[in-house]
Amino acid sequence: MGGVLSFAAAPPPPLPPSAADRLPVEDTHKDDQSEKVEKPAGEVDWLNLPCPTSYDELQREAMMSLKPELFEGFRFDFTKPLNTKFSLSHSVYMGALEMPSQSPETFKVPTAHYEFGANFLDPKCMLIGRILTDGRMSARVKYDISENLTMKINAQLTNEAHFSQGMFNFDYKGRDFRAQFQFANNAFYGGNYIQSVSPHLALGGEVFWLGHQRKSGLGLAARYNTDKIIMTGQLASTGLLALSYVHRASEKATFATDFMYNLANREATSSIGYDYLLRQCRLRGKIDSNGTVAAYLEERINLGVNFLLSAELDHWKKDYKFGFGLSVGEF
Amino acid sequence: MASRADLKGKGKAGKGDDSKGTFIKSMKQWSTWCMKKAKVATQYGFIPLVIIIGMNTEPKPSLMQLLSPV
């Protein structure tokens, strides 16, 4: 979610990574390819620029390569399709979850939970619901009101008071621009706009307003992509600068690096990683400037059966996390 | 008589302001009540709603397929 950089709300207890986040997102890179008009090299059709990726997904390729869903413990995901459009999912997790704490030492709580989910996927309407054994529920709705206007609702509900969050988004897709308006439950209003200014470059900006804390913010973003490279930059008035660079060396290998600088407390974080998409497996590894080395392997044992291995070594804090799991039913 | 009319006029103006204030207050209370009920309804009803919608699409899956673990 693109709001992460600029939206600071009361931190809710962390929800475990669920299959909902890994569902297929529309591949807009393919759209860029098909909308390129056949013109002799060097000539640009300024009236027919391709539609840019949406503002939330500016850094999608970098996030996918550099931030896999690392976990600690044992995980088992089972997706059972009942229909081409409808499926149920069962997910079991046993391990230690890290509780956000103010002190520098990590505070881990051993937990085990079962998550039940139902997914309904239609070209026009997508409904995903997940519920945990402790009552936490997450719901996602994506509905195409018309060909260009989409409504998305994202809600995380808990039994504890004041920790529930809900967000409504309205997205409008123009010929070479996208506009989005969002509002969330604790008086958060935001909007963003991104426009293609050349066949490879898109520029955009966002504005948000937090009602309860009377904070407002502005952000600017730019994305430059060709077949081989994708460069993005984002600057927010909250004092965050995020740059990323993704290099697609071949169909099977991608390298990515990102840099984040916090102007308020003068902290910089940088990470570099690789993403190998091989026939039987997908291997992602990264190293961080915080002294963290992480790797995530998804090995395809059989059609629909994937074996997962996750490792995250934080040498600075001396925190080592290893996880293994099995994922059945995700093709 | 004039003073009574004045008092009546002032009283009416006072009541007008009050009614606007109470109207906004009652709207806020009503919308909070609405949000609480909507949250409970979503928490209990969203997943059954998705299941009902899914069970009614073609080809219709059977109840055994829904409940069995295989």
Side-chain angles (χ1 to χ4, degrees):
Chain A
M1 291 197 326
V4 162
L5 269 183
S6 38
F7 177 26
L15 271 177
S18 70
D21 298 332
R22 281 186 278 116
L23 274 169
V25 185
E26 45 169 314
D27 189 0
T28 48
H29 193 74
K30 277 204 196 115
D31 288 332
D32 286 347
Q33 297 276 11
S34 61
E35 285 186 39
K36 274 204 184 99
V37 185
E38 295 292 331
K39 287 257 167 186
E43 206 176 306
V44 171
D45 187 0
W46 295 101
L47 296 173
N48 256 340
L49 292 174
C51 198
T53 53
S54 83
Y55 199 92
D56 296 337
E57 283 159 26
L58 268 184
Q59 298 196 327
R60 177 170 61 113
E61 284 83 2
M63 291 298 131
M64 276 197 333
S65 297
L66 290 174
K67 293 188 169 49
E69 289 168 9
L70 301 164
F71 60 95
E72 179 177 14
F74 169 68
R75 200 170 110 180
F76 177 70
D77 294 327
F78 175 47
T79 307
K80 181 176 147 173
L82 292 175
N83 218 343
T84 45
K85 298 182 183 180
F86 178 54
S87 61
L88 295 175
S89 92
H90 307 265
S91 168
V92 176
Y93 173 76
M94 294 183 235
L97 273 185
E98 204 167 298
M99 286 288 135
S101 74
Q102 311 296 26
S103 65
E105 39 182 76
T106 51
F107 182 52
K108 292 196 203 182
V109 171
T111 49
H113 57 66
Y114 164 72
E115 184 191 60
F116 173 71
N119 320 321
F120 177 74
L121 298 154
D122 199 37
K124 265 192 78 168
C125 167
M126 178 182 97
L127 301 166
I128 298 177
R130 294 272 183 275
I131 186 155
L132 280 158
T133 42
D134 53 8
R136 283 184 292 177
M137 198 213 134
S138 90
R140 279 172 56 170
V141 174
K142 175 173 162 279
Y143 184 65
D144 290 342
I145 301 175
S146 81
E147 200 192 310
N148 289 336
L149 186 61
T150 306
M151 176 181 79
K152 292 194 233 184
I153 306 176
N154 197 336
Q156 321 245 17
L157 307 172
T158 66
N159 279 333
E160 299 161 7
H162 302 299
F163 272 116
S164 307
Q165 295 178 326
M167 185 178 265
F168 279 77
N169 292 350
F170 287 95
D171 296 352
Y172 181 76
K173 182 174 98 160
R175 205 172 56 173
D176 58 0
F177 69 91
R178 279 187 205 248
Q180 186 184 67
F181 178 62
Q182 359 172 275
F183 56 102
N185 74 329
N186 48 356
F188 169 83
Y189 301 98
N192 60 53
Y193 179 80
I194 183 164
Q195 164 91 48
S196 266
V197 300
S198 95
H200 299 295
L201 179 63
L203 301 174
E206 73 167 338
V207 133
F208 70 88
W209 160 256
L210 267 164
H212 289 173
Q213 297 160 22
R214 299 274 187 264
K215 263 203 289 198
S216 69
L218 206 62
L220 296 170
R223 178 181 157 113
Y224 179 81
N225 66 339
T226 62
D227 288 340
K228 289 261 167 194
I229 67 172
I230 298 174
M231 287 202 292
T232 70
Q234 267 187 304
L235 177 62
S237 70
T238 49
L240 272 172
L241 169 69
L243 307 168
S244 81
Y245 176 76
V246 176
H247 183 98
R248 191 177 303 200
S250 76
E251 288 173 355
K252 300 191 178 192
T254 305
F255 299 96
T257 167
D258 94 332
F259 174 75
M260 205 139 75
Y261 180 56
N262 193 336
L263 280 148
N265 46 2
R266 307 236 162 202
E267 273 176 13
T269 309
S270 170
S271 66
I272 180 165
Y274 63 87
D275 184 351
Y276 288 146
L277 266 154
L278 305 173
R279 225 177 333 131
Q280 298 285 82
C281 76
R282 180 176 184 183
L283 176 61
R284 287 176 266 188
K286 80 159 194 226
I287 180 163
D288 219 335
S289 67
N290 294 333
T292 311
V293 180
Y296 189 82
L297 169 72
E298 290 166 87
E299 169 98 25
R300 202 189 82 152
I301 300 180
N302 211 344
L303 183 62
V305 181
N306 286 341
F307 179 61
L308 313 166
L309 278 177
S310 152
E312 188 181 356
L313 314 168
D314 192 342
H315 295 291
W316 198 256
K317 292 189 206 162
K318 301 235 184 278
D319 178 24
Y320 309 109
K321 298 193 237 197
F322 297 95
F324 70 102
L326 200 61
S327 164
V328 181
E330 300 233 3
F331 300 107
Chain B
M1 296 293 274
S3 58
R4 220 190 282 166
D6 278 342
L7 277 172
K8 250 196 206 164
K10 271 192 197 152
K12 267 199 188 138
K15 240 191 233 164
D17 283 346
D18 254 355
S19 75
K20 245 194 194 170
T22 49
F23 179 65
I24 293 178
K25 259 192 211 165
S26 66
M27 274 298 291
K28 276 195 184 158
Q29 281 173 347
W30 196 71
S31 74
T32 312
W33 179 89
C34 240
M35 290 304 292
K36 282 199 177 150
K37 295 299 174 196
K39 181 202 155 198
V40 173
T42 317
Q43 221 176 353
Y44 281 103
F46 185 71
I47 290 191
L49 173 77
V50 176
I51 291 179
I52 288 173
I53 292 179
M55 293 295 277
N56 287 334
T57 54
E58 291 300 326
K60 281 209 180 127
S62 71
L63 201 57
M64 268 320 292
Q65 272 184 304
L66 181 70
L67 298 173
S68 86
V70 174

